[in-house]
Amino acid sequence: MEPVLTPLLCREARTLLDLDTAEVAFVTRIPVLDLEMFEAGHTMLPTITLAALQRLFERGGVVFAPEKSRRGVLLQTSA
């Protein structure tokens, strides 16, 4: 089952990749305020937007692993 991108996982993944909200919003073509409100837990984003965010983070090397990491995200390293 694919992980559900929660506000906390979104914020942690973005931080792990050292991206600010403006960069992520630009690439995923969503308003910065929408992303900030989602990460703060004040609003929910459409499923298609959550999928776009998750793809962006995964392309950057983020692995969503709440069971393996206290933060819920890990950065995949090349072998």
Side-chain angles (χ1 to χ4, degrees), residues 37-78:
M37 293 294 286
F38 171 69
E39 286 190 353
H42 297 303
T43 189
M44 194 60 187
L45 295 173
T47 303
I48 193 165
T49 303
L50 293 175
L53 287 166
Q54 186 168 329
R55 280 192 308 274
L56 171 69
F57 297 140
E58 288 172 344
R59 281 195 311 261
V62 171
V63 176
F64 294 94
E67 68 285 351
K68 294 181 183 177
S69 167
R70 182 178 60 80
R71 293 176 71 189
V73 294
L74 301 168
L75 192 57
Q76 186 172 10
T77 55
S78 301

Side-chain angles (χ1 to χ4, degrees), residues 16-38:
L16 190 61
L17 294 175
D18 195 27
L19 299 171
D20 63 32
T21 53
E23 292 170 310
V24 172
F26 177 79
V27 172
T28 56
R29 297 182 177 172
I30 63 173
V32 174
L33 184 58
D34 288 359
L35 180 58
E36 290 172 347
M37 293 294 286
F38 171 69

